[in-house]
Amino acid sequence: MEPALASPSVDRRTVVSLFSRLRTASGQANPLPFYAELRSMGDVVPAPWGGYLITSYGLCDRILRDRAWQVPDAGWRARQGGATRWNARSSSEMGRTLPALNPPHHTRVRRSLGNLFDRKSVAVIKHAVEGNVERLLDRLTRKLRGGQADFSALVSEELPMSTIGEWLQLPPADYPLLRSLAHDQVFTQELLPSASQLAGSDVATVQLEAYFRELVQERRRAPGDDPVSAWLRTWDGLESDREAADEAVYLLALLVFLAAPETTSTLLSTMVWLLLEHPRQLGWLRAHPQHIPDAVEEVLRYDSPNHVISRIATEDTTLAGERIEKDRMVHLMVGAANHDPAHHIDPEVFDIRRKAGHLSFSGGIHYCLGAPLARLEAQTLLAALLRRLPGLRVGAAPVWAPRVGFRRITELQVVES
Ligand code: HEM
């Protein structure tokens, strides 16, 4: 790793303009030039709205693994003041879930989940994922006979929802509402949500809260062989009070649901888009399917579903020559860090044969618990696409939602030749 660069004095307006351009349609279609510009401003760039942007792979990686940096927990959110975004209904509720807890609370809750997707559980879920992939590709194939079809709506949005829905044993009739609530809720986790996005996120949070609280009560009344019933058994042993156990399980169910479909749908659409844009590599992959896992990792590196992870300084510190006060937020720009030339050779080249390190599933104690499930879905879908739809091509340029933190392809028209 090269030594961290001190940031030259950065003009605030330059950074504001960069983020405005990043949110335009062309910025969403290709954020890489913006990230290169951001990295050129230094490894630590003061953010015009407060806090700092961390652009290098080395520093992002170090901060994720260093206990001196914490997540923005409920206490930190409360200290920001009632009128700030951090105390909106949606943000306060997120502030009670696993990724917003610090040790020792985080350790206790994470331990209660165990290894959610160990080899044995993944082997069981694999069968269901394969079945769903075949069903969704049957439907896509039928639509393609009539011309263009939207891969995003027909496959990417469906597979992660069915996977998590079946795992949690939710009624399929609820999937459309839950999916739309997840799309609305995510804005509270965005880098710079607008007032109306935040309001939409608050409304979605209230509905999701009612849904998952009721789910916990249902599983109390009729426990079964499902994760929510298993968490209730675990938490009844951890808490003397039944209400506290119910509350802990509600927060787990809410979080696992929010963490899963939004991110995985983006991974699936991005994977198909990037591979169809690189037909020679797709052809090579068809001849070498043992490299499907490497291809998925390169997609995760090249355009991660989540481009920003936030941390808080627990003490006054200095990063790359920049003084950072205790309680300040740093935004780890992992979408930019994954393209840091100090870490990756030719980072702007999409190359499924590289053995890519990436920060797309975070690092340290908050490392994504669902990574094996997301990988399983992407690898299973890719294997089936190679086998079933060799003539698949992009029908029209994809459409991205104007977001910075959580990427989303809203439309990906494909055709079959
Ligand atoms: C491609 C898909 C996914 C991506 C890119 C992703 C990314 C992430 C990231 C970046 C974090 C850490 C945030 C931080 O450090 O502050 C995280 C945490 C988490 N993810 Fe994922 N995720 C994905 C899919 C899933 C799925 C499918 C599940 C569950 C079924 C899941 C469950 C979780 C949980 C429970 C945490 C909290 C871990 C903790 O705080 O200890 N994720 N994910």
Side-chain angles (χ1 to χ4, degrees):
M1 195 183 88
E2 287 184 6
L5 295 172
S7 65
S9 63
V10 176
D11 175 22
R12 193 173 180 278
R13 276 168 310 182
T14 314
V15 184
V16 171
S17 146
L18 187 144
F19 276 89
S20 313
R21 287 179 286 131
L22 184 57
R23 275 186 291 190
T24 61
S26 69
Q28 291 298 301
N30 183 12
L32 299 187
F34 299 93
Y35 289 154
E37 200 181 324
L38 191 61
R39 276 195 314 272
S40 75
M41 296 177 192
D43 289 2
V44 180
V45 179
W49 55 87
Y52 296 85
L53 303 155
I54 312 295
T55 66
S56 78
Y57 190 99
L59 268 189
C60 288
D61 192 34
R62 203 176 94 196
I63 291 171
L64 286 172
R65 289 163 205 284
D66 186 345
R67 295 291 180 104
W69 295 91
Q70 296 203 331
V71 292
D73 60 14
W76 182 87
R77 286 170 205 245
R79 287 199 294 283
Q80 307 315 299
T84 65
R85 62 169 284 197
W86 300 106
N87 288 294
R89 181 82 176 71
S90 47
S91 180
S92 306
E93 204 58 11
M94 277 310 284
R96 303 170 65 224
T97 63
L98 185 63
L101 303 181
N102 287 305
H105 194 177
H106 175 267
T107 320
R108 182 172 188 243
V109 177
R110 180 144 176 153
R111 211 168 269 161
S112 80
L113 284 172
N115 188 357
L116 271 189
F117 302 108
D118 58 11
R119 273 171 193 268
K120 215 169 120 202
S121 341
V122 167
V124 174
I125 299 172
K126 191 171 190 289
H127 188 65
V129 171
E130 284 168 349
N132 279 323
V133 163
E134 294 304 321
R135 175 178 60 81
L136 294 170
L137 293 190
D138 286 347
R139 193 163 67 133
L140 177 71
T141 308
R142 280 197 301 276
K143 292 265 181 189
L144 284 169
R145 283 191 204 119
Q148 286 203 146
D150 181 1
F151 191 90
S152 167
L154 291 166
V155 183
S156 309
E157 292 273 308
E158 293 289 332
L159 181 62
M161 189 61 232
S162 306
T163 306
I164 201 74
E166 285 172 19
W167 185 66
L168 289 172
Q169 296 183 23
L170 308 177
D174 296 348
Y175 296 173
L177 172 66
L178 287 172
R179 190 173 26 235
S180 118
L181 292 175
H183 287 323
D184 290 345
Q185 193 279 346
V186 78
F187 283 104
T188 200
Q189 304 169 63
E190 256 302 322
L191 188 61
L192 298 168
S194 69
S196 70
Q197 288 169 338
L198 209 49
S201 188
D202 288 351
V203 172
T205 299
V206 171
Q207 282 179 266
L208 286 164
E209 180 175 343
Y211 185 92
F212 284 100
R213 282 190 189 283
E214 179 49 32
L215 179 74
V216 171
Q217 291 315 309
E218 263 174 36
R219 302 290 150 95
R220 268 277 180 227
R221 288 191 288 273
D225 179 19
D226 64 280
V228 173
S229 302
W231 298 335
L232 280 169
R233 287 189 286 274
T234 303
W235 278 90
D236 281 343
L238 291 173
E239 295 281 359
S240 52
D241 170 359
R242 198 164 153 149
E243 255 179 51
D246 286 357
E247 189 65 11
V249 175
Y250 145 68
L251 288 168
L252 287 178
L254 173 73
L255 187 266
V256 167
F257 169 73
L258 286 174
E262 192 72 14
T263 46
T264 313
S265 295
T266 300
L267 170 61
L268 303 183
S269 282
T270 308
M271 173 177 82
V272 171
W273 157 244
L274 284 172
L275 286 166
L276 293 183
E277 281 295 285
H278 295 85
R280 278 217 307 253
Q281 294 194 49
L282 194 57
W284 182 84
L285 196 57
R286 191 167 287 114
H288 302 90
Q290 69 275 23
H291 288 281
I292 285 175
D294 299 335
V296 171
E297 294 313 299
E298 175 63 348
V299 172
L300 281 160
R301 178 197 75 87
Y302 194 85
D303 192 351
S304 168
N306 181 4
H307 280 195
V308 187
I309 298 176
S310 299
R311 291 291 184 266
I312 306 297
T314 55
E315 55 199 34
D316 290 352
T317 186
T318 303
L319 272 185
E322 196 75 51
R323 191 101 192 100
I324 299 184
E325 287 163 24
K326 178 177 177 273
D327 246 16
R328 278 299 171 92
M329 178 174 269
V330 294
H331 303 291
L332 311 182
M333 302 300 292
V334 293
N338 282 340
H339 287 264
D340 183 349
H343 189 82
H344 293 104
I345 298 164
D346 295 333
E348 315 302 61
V349 176
F350 177 74
D351 179 1
I352 60 176
R353 275 170 292 189
R354 77 163 82 225
K355 297 282 179 213
H358 61 73
L359 300 171
S360 307
F361 288 125
S362 188
I365 63 167
H366 291 277
Y367 184 83
C368 175
L369 267 170
L373 186 61
R375 287 181 166 127
L376 171 74
E377 290 178 58
Q379 292 170 11
T380 309
L381 176 63
L382 184 49
L385 279 173
L386 289 170
R387 176 171 44 82
R388 292 188 54 170
L389 288 162
L392 200 66
R393 286 186 293 110
V394 172
V399 181
W400 278 267
R403 300 177 180 179
V404 176
F406 286 80
R407 300 272 285 156
R408 183 178 171 211
I409 291 181
T410 53
E411 197 179 322
L412 176 59
Q413 293 293 341
V414 290
V415 288
E416 243 248 301
S417 53

Coordinates of all heavy atoms in Angstrom, one line a residue, residues 19 22 35 38-39 42-45 47 49-72 86 189-191 304-313 317 319 324 328-339 358-367 404-406:
F19 N -20.6 16.0 -6.8 CA -21.7 15.2 -6.3 C -23.0 15.5 -7.1 O -23.8 14.6 -7.3 CB -21.9 15.3 -4.8 CG -21.0 14.4 -4.1 CD1 -19.7 14.8 -3.7 CD2 -21.3 13.1 -3.8 CE1 -18.8 13.9 -3.1 CE2 -20.5 12.2 -3.2 CZ -19.2 12.6 -2.8
L22 N -22.5 13.6 -10.3 CA -22.6 12.2 -10.0 C -24.1 11.7 -10.0 O -24.4 10.6 -10.4 CB -21.9 11.9 -8.7 CG -21.8 10.5 -8.2 CD1 -21.0 9.6 -9.2 CD2 -21.0 10.4 -6.9
Y35 N -15.2 9.4 -9.5 CA -14.5 8.9 -8.4 C -13.0 9.1 -8.6 O -12.2 9.4 -7.7 CB -14.7 7.4 -8.3 CG -16.1 7.1 -7.7 CD1 -16.7 5.9 -8.0 CD2 -16.8 8.0 -6.9 CE1 -18.0 5.6 -7.5 CE2 -18.0 7.7 -6.4 CZ -18.6 6.5 -6.7 OH -19.9 6.2 -6.2
L38 N -12.4 12.6 -7.6 CA -12.5 12.7 -6.1 C -11.2 12.2 -5.5 O -10.6 12.8 -4.6 CB -13.7 11.9 -5.6 CG -14.1 12.0 -4.2 CD1 -14.5 13.4 -3.9 CD2 -15.3 11.0 -3.8
R39 N -10.7 11.0 -6.0 CA -9.4 10.5 -5.5 C -8.3 11.5 -5.7 O -7.4 11.6 -4.9 CB -9.1 9.1 -6.1 CG -9.8 7.9 -5.5 CD -9.2 6.6 -5.9 NE -9.0 6.6 -7.3 CZ -9.9 6.2 -8.2 NH1 -11.0 5.7 -7.8 NH2 -9.6 6.2 -9.5
G42 N -7.4 13.8 -3.0 CA -6.7 13.4 -1.7 C -7.4 12.1 -1.2 O -8.5 11.8 -1.6
D43 N -6.7 11.5 -0.2 CA -7.3 10.3 0.4 C -8.4 10.7 1.4 O -9.2 9.8 1.7 CB -6.2 9.5 1.1 CG -5.2 8.8 0.2 OD1 -5.4 9.0 -1.0 OD2 -4.3 8.1 0.6
V44 N -8.3 11.9 1.9 CA -9.3 12.4 2.9 C -9.7 13.8 2.4 O -8.9 14.7 2.3 CB -8.6 12.5 4.3 CG1 -9.7 13.0 5.3 CG2 -8.1 11.2 4.7
V45 N -11.0 13.8 2.0 CA -11.5 15.1 1.4 C -12.6 15.7 2.3 O -13.6 14.9 2.6 CB -12.1 14.8 0.0 CG1 -12.6 16.1 -0.6 CG2 -11.0 14.2 -0.9
A47 N -15.9 17.0 3.4 CA -17.2 17.0 2.8 C -17.9 18.4 3.0 O -17.9 18.8 4.2 CB -18.1 15.9 3.3
W49 N -20.8 19.2 3.4 CA -22.0 19.2 4.4 C -21.5 18.7 5.8 O -22.3 18.5 6.7 CB -23.0 18.2 3.9 CG -22.5 16.8 3.6 CD1 -22.4 15.8 4.5 CD2 -22.0 16.3 2.3 NE1 -21.8 14.7 3.8 CE2 -21.5 15.0 2.5 CE3 -21.8 16.9 1.0 CZ2 -21.0 14.2 1.5 CZ3 -21.2 16.1 0.0 CH2 -20.8 14.8 0.3
G50 N -20.2 18.6 6.0 CA -19.6 18.2 7.3 C -19.0 16.8 7.1 O -19.5 16.1 6.3
G51 N -18.1 16.5 8.0 CA -17.4 15.2 7.9 C -16.4 15.1 6.8 O -16.0 16.1 6.2
Y52 N -16.0 13.9 6.4 CA -15.0 13.7 5.5 C -15.3 12.5 4.5 O -16.0 11.6 4.9 CB -13.6 13.4 6.2 CG -13.2 14.6 7.0 CD1 -13.7 14.7 8.3 CD2 -12.3 15.5 6.5 CE1 -13.3 15.8 9.1 CE2 -12.0 16.6 7.3 CZ -12.5 16.8 8.6 OH -12.1 17.8 9.3
L53 N -14.7 12.6 3.3 CA -14.9 11.5 2.3 C -13.5 10.8 2.3 O -12.5 11.5 2.1 CB -15.2 12.1 0.9 CG -16.5 13.0 0.9 CD1 -16.4 14.0 -0.2 CD2 -17.7 12.1 0.8
I54 N -13.5 9.5 2.4 CA -12.3 8.8 2.4 C -12.3 8.0 1.1 O -13.2 7.2 0.8 CB -12.2 7.7 3.6 CG1 -12.6 8.4 4.9 CG2 -10.8 7.1 3.6 CD1 -11.6 9.5 5.4
T55 N -11.2 8.2 0.3 CA -11.3 7.8 -1.1 C -10.3 6.6 -1.4 O -10.5 6.0 -2.4 CB -10.9 8.9 -2.1 OG1 -9.6 9.3 -1.8 CG2 -11.8 10.1 -1.9
S56 N -9.3 6.4 -0.5 CA -8.3 5.3 -0.9 C -8.7 4.0 -0.3 O -9.4 3.9 0.8 CB -6.9 5.7 -0.4 OG -6.8 5.5 1.0
Y57 N -8.4 2.9 -1.0 CA -8.7 1.6 -0.5 C -8.0 1.3 0.8 O -8.6 0.8 1.8 CB -8.1 0.6 -1.6 CG -8.6 -0.9 -1.3 CD1 -9.7 -1.4 -2.0 CD2 -8.0 -1.7 -0.4 CE1 -10.2 -2.7 -1.8 CE2 -8.5 -3.0 -0.2 CZ -9.5 -3.5 -0.9 OH -10.0 -4.7 -0.6
G58 N -6.7 1.7 0.9 CA -6.0 1.4 2.1 C -6.6 2.0 3.4 O -6.8 1.3 4.4
L59 N -7.0 3.3 3.3 CA -7.6 3.9 4.5 C -9.0 3.4 4.8 O -9.3 3.2 5.9 CB -7.7 5.5 4.2 CG -6.5 6.3 4.7 CD1 -6.9 7.8 4.5 CD2 -6.1 6.0 6.1
C60 N -9.8 3.2 3.7 CA -11.1 2.6 4.0 C -11.0 1.3 4.7 O -11.7 1.0 5.7 CB -11.9 2.4 2.7 SG -12.4 3.9 1.9
D61 N -10.1 0.4 4.2 CA -9.9 -0.9 4.8 C -9.5 -0.8 6.2 O -10.0 -1.5 7.1 CB -8.8 -1.6 3.9 CG -8.8 -3.1 4.2 OD1 -9.8 -3.7 4.5 OD2 -7.6 -3.7 4.2
R62 N -8.5 0.1 6.5 CA -8.0 0.3 7.8 C -9.1 0.8 8.8 O -9.2 0.2 9.9 CB -6.8 1.3 7.8 CG -5.9 1.2 8.9 CD -4.7 2.2 8.7 NE -5.0 3.4 9.5 CZ -4.4 4.5 9.3 NH1 -3.4 4.6 8.3 NH2 -4.6 5.6 10.0
I63 N -9.9 1.7 8.4 CA -10.9 2.3 9.2 C -11.9 1.2 9.6 O -12.4 1.1 10.7 CB -11.6 3.5 8.6 CG1 -10.5 4.7 8.6 CG2 -12.8 3.9 9.3 CD1 -11.0 5.9 7.8
L64 N -12.3 0.4 8.6 CA -13.3 -0.7 8.8 C -12.9 -1.7 9.9 O -13.7 -2.2 10.6 CB -13.6 -1.4 7.5 CG -14.5 -0.6 6.5 CD1 -14.6 -1.4 5.2 CD2 -15.9 -0.4 7.0
R65 N -11.5 -1.9 9.9 CA -11.0 -2.9 10.9 C -10.6 -2.3 12.2 O -10.2 -3.1 13.1 CB -9.8 -3.6 10.2 CG -10.3 -4.5 9.1 CD -9.1 -4.9 8.2 NE -9.5 -5.2 6.9 CZ -10.2 -6.4 6.6 NH1 -10.4 -7.3 7.5 NH2 -10.6 -6.6 5.3
D66 N -10.6 -1.0 12.3 CA -10.1 -0.4 13.5 C -11.2 0.0 14.5 O -12.1 0.7 14.2 CB -9.3 0.9 13.1 CG -8.6 1.6 14.2 OD1 -8.8 1.3 15.3 OD2 -7.8 2.5 13.9
R67 N -11.0 -0.6 15.7 CA -12.1 -0.3 16.8 C -12.2 1.1 17.2 O -13.1 1.5 17.9 CB -11.8 -1.2 18.0 CG -11.9 -2.7 17.8 CD -13.4 -3.1 17.5 NE -13.5 -4.5 17.3 CZ -14.0 -5.4 18.2 NH1 -14.3 -4.9 19.4 NH2 -14.0 -6.6 17.9
A68 N -11.2 2.0 16.8 CA -11.3 3.4 17.1 C -12.3 4.1 16.3 O -12.7 5.3 16.6 CB -9.9 4.1 16.9
W69 N -12.9 3.4 15.3 CA -13.9 4.0 14.5 C -15.2 3.2 14.7 O -15.2 1.9 14.7 CB -13.5 3.9 13.0 CG -12.4 4.7 12.7 CD1 -11.0 4.4 12.7 CD2 -12.4 6.1 12.3 NE1 -10.2 5.4 12.4 CE2 -11.0 6.5 12.2 CE3 -13.4 7.1 12.2 CZ2 -10.7 7.9 11.9 CZ3 -13.0 8.4 11.8 CH2 -11.7 8.8 11.7
Q70 N -16.3 3.9 15.0 CA -17.5 3.1 15.3 C -18.6 3.5 14.3 O -18.5 4.4 13.5 CB -18.0 3.5 16.7 CG -17.0 3.1 17.7 CD -17.6 3.0 19.1 OE1 -18.6 3.7 19.4 NE2 -17.1 2.1 19.9
V71 N -19.7 2.7 14.3 CA -20.9 3.1 13.5 C -21.7 4.2 14.1 O -21.6 4.3 15.4 CB -21.7 1.8 13.1 CG1 -20.9 0.8 12.3 CG2 -22.2 1.1 14.4
P72 N -22.5 4.9 13.4 CA -23.3 6.0 13.9 C -24.5 5.3 14.7 O -25.5 5.0 14.1 CB -23.8 6.8 12.7 CG -23.6 5.9 11.5 CD -22.5 4.9 11.9
W86 N -30.8 12.6 11.2 CA -30.4 11.5 12.1 C -31.5 11.1 13.1 O -31.5 10.1 13.7 CB -29.1 11.7 12.7 CG -28.0 11.9 11.7 CD1 -27.4 13.1 11.4 CD2 -27.5 10.9 10.8 NE1 -26.5 12.9 10.3 CE2 -26.5 11.6 10.0 CE3 -27.7 9.6 10.7 CZ2 -25.8 10.9 9.0 CZ3 -27.0 8.9 9.7 CH2 -26.1 9.6 8.8
Q189 N -30.8 5.8 4.4 CA -29.4 5.3 4.5 C -28.6 6.0 3.4 O -27.4 5.6 3.2 CB -29.4 3.8 4.3 CG -30.2 3.0 5.3 CD -30.3 1.6 5.0 OE1 -29.3 0.9 4.9 NE2 -31.5 1.1 4.7
E190 N -29.2 6.8 2.5 CA -28.5 7.5 1.4 C -27.5 8.5 2.0 O -27.6 9.0 3.1 CB -29.5 8.1 0.5 CG -29.7 7.4 -0.8 CD -28.4 7.2 -1.6 OE1 -27.6 8.1 -1.7 OE2 -28.3 6.1 -2.2
L191 N -26.6 8.9 1.1 CA -25.6 9.9 1.5 C -26.3 11.3 1.8 O -26.0 11.8 2.9 CB -24.5 10.1 0.4 CG -23.3 10.9 0.7 CD1 -22.6 10.3 1.9 CD2 -22.4 11.0 -0.5
S304 N -20.1 -1.9 -7.0 CA -20.7 -2.5 -5.9 C -22.1 -2.0 -5.7 O -22.4 -0.8 -6.0 CB -19.8 -2.1 -4.6 OG -20.5 -2.4 -3.5
P305 N -23.0 -2.8 -5.2 CA -24.4 -2.2 -4.9 C -24.4 -1.1 -3.9 O -25.2 -0.2 -3.9 CB -25.1 -3.4 -4.3 CG -24.4 -4.6 -4.9 CD -23.0 -4.2 -4.9
N306 N -23.4 -1.1 -3.0 CA -23.3 0.0 -2.0 C -22.0 0.7 -2.1 O -20.9 0.1 -2.0 CB -23.4 -0.7 -0.6 CG -23.4 0.3 0.5 OD1 -23.4 1.5 0.3 ND2 -23.4 -0.2 1.7
H307 N -22.1 2.0 -2.4 CA -20.8 2.8 -2.7 C -20.3 3.6 -1.5 O -19.2 4.2 -1.5 CB -21.0 3.7 -3.8 CG -20.9 3.0 -5.2 ND1 -20.8 3.7 -6.4 CD2 -20.9 1.7 -5.5 CE1 -20.7 2.9 -7.4 NE2 -20.8 1.6 -6.9
V308 N -21.1 3.6 -0.4 CA -20.7 4.5 0.8 C -21.0 3.7 2.1 O -22.1 3.2 2.3 CB -21.5 5.8 0.8 CG1 -20.9 6.7 1.9 CG2 -21.5 6.5 -0.6
I309 N -20.0 3.7 3.0 CA -20.2 3.1 4.3 C -19.7 4.2 5.3 O -18.7 4.9 5.0 CB -19.3 1.9 4.5 CG1 -19.7 0.8 3.5 CG2 -19.4 1.4 5.9 CD1 -18.9 -0.5 3.6
S310 N -20.4 4.4 6.4 CA -20.1 5.6 7.3 C -19.5 5.1 8.6 O -20.0 4.1 9.1 CB -21.3 6.4 7.5 OG -21.7 7.0 6.3
R311 N -18.6 5.8 9.2 CA -18.1 5.6 10.5 C -17.9 6.9 11.2 O -17.8 7.9 10.6 CB -16.7 4.8 10.4 CG -16.8 3.4 9.8 CD -17.5 2.5 10.8 NE -17.5 1.1 10.4 CZ -18.5 0.5 9.7 NH1 -19.6 1.2 9.4 NH2 -18.4 -0.8 9.4
I312 N -17.7 6.8 12.6 CA -17.6 7.9 13.4 C -16.2 7.8 14.2 O -15.9 6.7 14.7 CB -18.7 7.9 14.5 CG1 -20.1 7.9 13.8 CG2 -18.6 9.2 15.4 CD1 -20.4 9.0 12.9
A313 N -15.5 9.0 14.3 CA -14.3 9.0 15.1 C -14.6 8.9 16.6 O -15.4 9.7 17.0 CB -13.5 10.2 14.8
T317 N -8.3 12.7 16.0 CA -7.3 11.9 15.3 C -6.8 12.6 14.1 O -7.4 13.7 13.7 CB -7.9 10.5 15.0 OG1 -6.8 9.7 14.4 CG2 -9.0 10.5 14.0
L319 N -5.9 11.9 10.0 CA -5.9 10.9 8.9 C -5.3 11.6 7.7 O -5.8 12.7 7.2 CB -7.3 10.5 8.5 CG -8.0 9.4 9.2 CD1 -9.4 9.2 8.5 CD2 -7.2 8.1 9.2
I324 N -9.2 15.3 12.4 CA -10.6 14.9 12.5 C -11.0 14.8 13.9 O -10.4 14.1 14.7 CB -10.8 13.5 11.8 CG1 -10.4 13.7 10.3 CG2 -12.2 13.0 11.9 CD1 -10.7 12.5 9.4
R328 N -16.9 13.1 14.7 CA -17.1 13.5 13.2 C -17.3 12.2 12.4 O -16.8 11.1 12.7 CB -15.8 14.1 12.7 CG -15.8 15.6 13.0 CD -17.0 16.3 12.4 NE -17.0 17.7 12.8 CZ -16.5 18.7 12.2 NH1 -15.9 18.5 11.0 NH2 -16.5 19.9 12.6
M329 N -18.1 12.4 11.4 CA -18.4 11.2 10.5 C -17.5 11.2 9.3 O -17.2 12.2 8.8 CB -19.9 11.3 10.0 CG -20.3 10.2 9.0 SD -22.0 10.2 8.6 CE -22.7 9.2 9.8
V330 N -17.0 10.0 9.0 CA -16.3 9.8 7.7 C -17.1 8.9 6.8 O -17.7 7.9 7.3 CB -14.9 9.3 7.9 CG1 -14.0 10.2 8.7 CG2 -14.9 7.9 8.6
H331 N -17.2 9.3 5.5 CA -17.9 8.5 4.5 C -16.8 7.7 3.8 O -16.0 8.3 3.1 CB -18.6 9.3 3.5 CG -19.6 10.2 4.2 ND1 -20.8 9.8 4.8 CD2 -19.6 11.6 4.4 CE1 -21.4 10.8 5.3 NE2 -20.7 11.9 5.1
L332 N -16.8 6.4 3.9 CA -15.9 5.5 3.2 C -16.4 5.3 1.8 O -17.5 4.7 1.7 CB -15.7 4.2 3.9 CG -15.4 4.3 5.4 CD1 -15.2 2.9 6.0 CD2 -14.2 5.2 5.7
M333 N -15.8 5.9 0.8 CA -16.3 5.9 -0.6 C -15.8 4.6 -1.2 O -14.9 4.5 -2.0 CB -15.8 7.1 -1.3 CG -16.2 8.4 -0.7 SD -18.0 8.6 -0.6 CE -18.5 8.8 -2.3
V334 N -16.4 3.5 -0.8 CA -15.9 2.1 -1.2 C -16.1 2.0 -2.8 O -15.3 1.2 -3.4 CB -16.6 1.0 -0.5 CG1 -16.2 1.0 1.0 CG2 -18.1 1.0 -0.6
G335 N -17.1 2.6 -3.4 CA -17.2 2.6 -4.8 C -15.9 3.2 -5.5 O -15.5 2.7 -6.5
A336 N -15.4 4.2 -4.9 CA -14.1 4.8 -5.4 C -12.9 4.0 -5.0 O -12.0 3.7 -5.7 CB -14.0 6.2 -4.9
A337 N -12.9 3.5 -3.7 CA -11.8 2.8 -3.2 C -11.6 1.5 -4.0 O -10.4 1.0 -4.2 CB -12.0 2.5 -1.7
N338 N -12.6 0.9 -4.4 CA -12.5 -0.4 -5.2 C -11.8 -0.1 -6.5 O -11.5 -1.1 -7.3 CB -13.9 -1.0 -5.4 CG -14.4 -1.7 -4.2 OD1 -13.7 -2.1 -3.3 ND2 -15.7 -1.9 -4.2
H339 N -11.6 1.1 -6.9 CA -10.9 1.5 -8.2 C -9.6 2.2 -7.9 O -9.2 3.0 -8.7 CB -11.9 2.3 -9.1 CG -13.0 1.5 -9.7 ND1 -12.9 0.9 -10.9 CD2 -14.1 1.0 -9.1 CE1 -14.0 0.2 -11.2 NE2 -14.7 0.3 -10.1
H358 N -12.1 -6.6 -2.7 CA -13.0 -5.4 -2.7 C -13.6 -5.2 -1.3 O -13.5 -6.1 -0.4 CB -14.1 -5.6 -3.7 CG -15.0 -6.8 -3.5 ND1 -15.9 -6.9 -2.5 CD2 -15.0 -8.0 -4.1 CE1 -16.5 -8.1 -2.5 NE2 -16.0 -8.8 -3.5
L359 N -14.2 -4.0 -1.1 CA -14.8 -3.7 0.2 C -16.3 -3.7 0.1 O -16.9 -3.1 1.0 CB -14.2 -2.3 0.6 CG -12.7 -2.2 0.8 CD1 -12.3 -0.8 1.0 CD2 -12.2 -3.1 1.9
S360 N -16.8 -4.3 -0.9 CA -18.3 -4.2 -1.2 C -19.1 -4.8 -0.1 O -20.3 -4.5 0.0 CB -18.6 -4.8 -2.5 OG -17.7 -4.2 -3.5
F361 N -18.6 -5.8 0.7 CA -19.3 -6.4 1.8 C -18.8 -5.8 3.1 O -19.0 -6.4 4.2 CB -19.2 -7.9 1.8 CG -20.0 -8.6 0.7 CD1 -19.4 -9.5 -0.2 CD2 -21.4 -8.4 0.6 CE1 -20.1 -10.1 -1.2 CE2 -22.1 -9.0 -0.4 CZ -21.5 -9.9 -1.3
S362 N -18.2 -4.6 3.1 CA -17.6 -4.0 4.2 C -16.4 -4.8 4.8 O -15.8 -5.6 4.0 CB -18.7 -3.8 5.3 OG -18.2 -3.1 6.4
G363 N -16.1 -4.7 6.1 CA -14.9 -5.4 6.6 C -15.0 -5.2 8.1 O -15.8 -4.5 8.7
G364 N -14.2 -6.0 8.8 CA -14.2 -5.9 10.3 C -15.4 -6.5 10.9 O -16.1 -7.4 10.3
I365 N -15.8 -6.0 12.0 CA -16.9 -6.7 12.8 C -18.3 -6.5 12.2 O -19.2 -7.3 12.5 CB -17.0 -6.2 14.3 CG1 -17.3 -4.7 14.3 CG2 -15.7 -6.4 15.0 CD1 -17.7 -4.2 15.7
H366 N -18.5 -5.6 11.2 CA -19.8 -5.5 10.6 C -19.8 -6.2 9.2 O -20.8 -5.9 8.4 CB -20.2 -4.0 10.4 CG -20.4 -3.3 11.7 ND1 -21.7 -3.4 12.3 CD2 -19.6 -2.6 12.6 CE1 -21.6 -2.8 13.5 NE2 -20.4 -2.3 13.7
Y367 N -18.8 -7.0 8.9 CA -18.8 -7.6 7.6 C -20.2 -8.3 7.3 O -20.7 -8.9 8.2 CB -17.7 -8.7 7.6 CG -17.5 -9.3 6.2 CD1 -16.8 -8.7 5.2 CD2 -18.2 -10.5 5.9 CE1 -16.7 -9.3 3.9 CE2 -18.1 -11.1 4.6 CZ -17.3 -10.5 3.7 OH -17.3 -11.0 2.4
V404 N -26.5 7.9 -4.6 CA -25.0 7.8 -4.5 C -24.6 6.6 -3.7 O -23.7 5.8 -4.1 CB -24.5 9.1 -3.9 CG1 -22.9 9.0 -3.6 CG2 -24.8 10.3 -4.7
G405 N -25.3 6.4 -2.5 CA -24.9 5.3 -1.7 C -25.3 3.9 -2.2 O -24.5 3.0 -2.3
F406 N -26.6 3.8 -2.4 CA -27.1 2.5 -2.9 C -27.5 2.6 -4.3 O -28.5 3.2 -4.7 CB -28.4 2.2 -2.0 CG -28.0 1.7 -0.6 CD1 -27.7 2.7 0.3 CD2 -28.0 0.4 -0.3 CE1 -27.4 2.3 1.6 CE2 -27.6 0.0 1.0 CZ -27.3 1.0 1.9

